[in-house]
């Protein structure tokens, strides 16, 4: 058995996976520290959800280069929600070997109902697993997630572009959206009560497709804090902390710039 695990807090995992479902298929990689689920879109953006082993009531993984597989994410989330929003089922996951299906056993103890499903798995093609966070090592802000969502919602939702500026000088962190009808801008002071960390080694000014940024807003609603970071290449990273019953899972999201900033 390459991978087996049991989970009681299914709802938070379902909410996160449903929120990041920007592609049909996701790459599952069980490792000793927990389960990593990754989606990427033509190398211009990448999303990963980390479910630490502490969230599972049972977790077993066999360290192997073959312990990685691709599944249909929509099928998976449909199964996780098979009992509806108000249920609290138990989940058991098993993956025996390369080419085997991912088996899910959902048990609804209150209704005494058990659902046993298998999802076809596929091999991955030369999947690379670099630590993109190492590229976002220049500037960083850590802020309450609800505050950051509010900033994004103040901007023109019809905009095509979003410029993200880190500066060592006031107003420090700025978001500016641009559309045919004009532009809108919001800023966040590093001394704000909602900001816990502000690090700016040098001014950076990069522009991104706003549509790519919008992908991450849905999952931000479940997060407590969000870290926004960037590096010299312009790669923009979001790291989200999601807490459930004193246990935490994490989402990372990376997007590449459209072009270099004005400065």
């Amino acid at each position: 058995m390459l991978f087996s695990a049991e989970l009681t807090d299914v709802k938070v995992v379902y909410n996160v996976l449903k929120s990041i479902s920007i592609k049909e298929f996701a790459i599952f990689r069980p490792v000793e520290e927990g389960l990593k689920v990754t989606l990427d879109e033509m190398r211009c953006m990448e999303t990963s959800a980390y479910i630490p082993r502490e969230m599972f009531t049972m977790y077993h993984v066999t360290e192997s280069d073959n312990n990685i597989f691709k599944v249909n994410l929509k099928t998976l989330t449909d199964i996780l929600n098979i009992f509806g929003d108000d249920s609290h089922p138990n989940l058991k996951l098993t993956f025996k070997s390369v080419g085997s299906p991912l088996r899910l056993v959902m048990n609804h103890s209150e209704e005494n109902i058990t659902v046993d499903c298998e999802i076809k798995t596929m091999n991955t093609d030369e999947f690379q697993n670099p630590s993109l966070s190492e590229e976002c090592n220049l500037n960083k802000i850590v802020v309450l997630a609800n505050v950051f969502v509010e900033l994004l919602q103040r901007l023109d939702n019809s905009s095509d572009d979003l410029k993200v500026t880190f500066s060592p000088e006031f107003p420090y962190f700025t978001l500016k959206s641009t559309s045919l009808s004009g532009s809108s801008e919001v800023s966040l002071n590093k001394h704000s009560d909602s900001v816990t960390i502000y690090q700016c080694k040098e001014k950076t000014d990069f522009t991104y497709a706003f549509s790519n940024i919008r992908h991450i807003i849905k999952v931000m609603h479940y997060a407590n804090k969000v870290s926004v970071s960037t590096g010299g290449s312009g790669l923009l990273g979001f790291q989200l902390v999601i807490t459930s019953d004193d246990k935490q899972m994490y989402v990372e999201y990376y997007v590449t710039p459209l072009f270099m900033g004005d400065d």
Side-chain angles (χ1 to χ4, degrees), residues 60-74:
H60 168 76
V61 61
T62 300
E63 290 291 346
S64 168
D65 292 338
N66 295 323
N67 204 351
I68 180 171
F69 52 91
K70 187 184 295 186
V71 300
N72 187 301
L73 189 55
K74 183 181 186 306

Side-chain angles (χ1 to χ4, degrees), residues 9-22 35 37 39 47-52 55 73 76-77 80 215-224 240-244 247-252:
D9 198 353
V10 176
K11 187 54 60 179
V12 65
V13 174
Y14 163 77
N15 287 335
V16 170
L17 294 183
K18 182 72 173 178
S19 298
I20 66 172
S21 299
I22 58 175
L35 178 62
V37 183
L39 304 92
T47 309
S48 293
Y50 297 88
I51 311 172
M55 287 197 70
L73 189 55
L76 175 64
T77 53
L80 294 181
H215 285 305
I216 197 64
I217 294 178
K218 187 181 295 184
V219 73
M220 279 187 189
H221 288 290
Y222 301 108
N224 306 95
L240 282 65
V241 179
I242 300 165
T243 303
S244 177
K247 298 177 182 178
Q248 293 180 332
M249 65 179 296
Y250 310 92
V251 172
E252 291 189 356

Side-chain angles (χ1 to χ4, degrees), residues 18-165:
K18 182 72 173 178
S19 298
I20 66 172
S21 299
I22 58 175
K23 289 197 68 180
E24 183 177 5
F25 293 96
I27 296 170
F28 277 60
R29 187 169 189 174
V31 294
E32 192 66 32
E33 296 77 17
L35 178 62
K36 179 179 180 180
V37 183
T38 301
L39 304 92
D40 69 271
E41 182 68 35
M42 300 295 291
R43 305 298 180 186
C44 66
M45 58 184 180
E46 178 182 294
T47 309
S48 293
Y50 297 88
I51 311 172
R53 64 180 302 144
E54 290 79 13
M55 287 197 70
F56 296 92
T57 54
M58 185 278 289
Y59 188 88
H60 168 76
V61 61
T62 300
E63 290 291 346
S64 168
D65 292 338
N66 295 323
N67 204 351
I68 180 171
F69 52 91
K70 187 184 295 186
V71 300
N72 187 301
L73 189 55
K74 183 181 186 306
T75 300
L76 175 64
T77 53
D78 285 347
I79 294 172
L80 294 181
N81 197 43
I82 199 168
F83 292 117
D85 292 336
D86 298 326
S87 63
H88 300 282
N90 298 322
L91 169 66
K92 183 174 182 179
L93 297 165
T94 53
F95 176 66
K96 289 184 178 180
S97 58
V98 177
S100 297
L102 175 66
R103 184 183 179 191
L104 296 86
V105 179
M106 300 274 290
N107 178 257
H108 195 306
S109 57
E110 297 174 3
E111 302 292 338
N112 196 27
I113 299 174
T114 299
V115 176
D116 192 335
C117 305
E118 291 185 346
I119 304 177
K120 179 182 177 182
T121 65
M122 292 168 284
N123 295 334
T124 59
D125 300 324
E126 299 180 359
F127 176 69
Q128 302 296 321
N129 189 39
S131 178
L132 294 178
S133 61
E134 295 179 0
E135 295 186 34
C136 296
N137 59 0
L138 190 62
N139 298 325
K140 178 170 71 172
I141 185 171
V142 178
V143 62
L144 295 176
N146 63 323
V147 173
F148 193 77
V149 169
E150 183 180 342
L151 289 176
L152 291 174
Q153 291 175 340
R154 290 182 189 175
L155 300 171
D156 183 357
N157 195 50
S158 65
S159 298
D160 296 323
D161 300 341
L162 178 68
K163 181 184 289 186
V164 179
T165 301

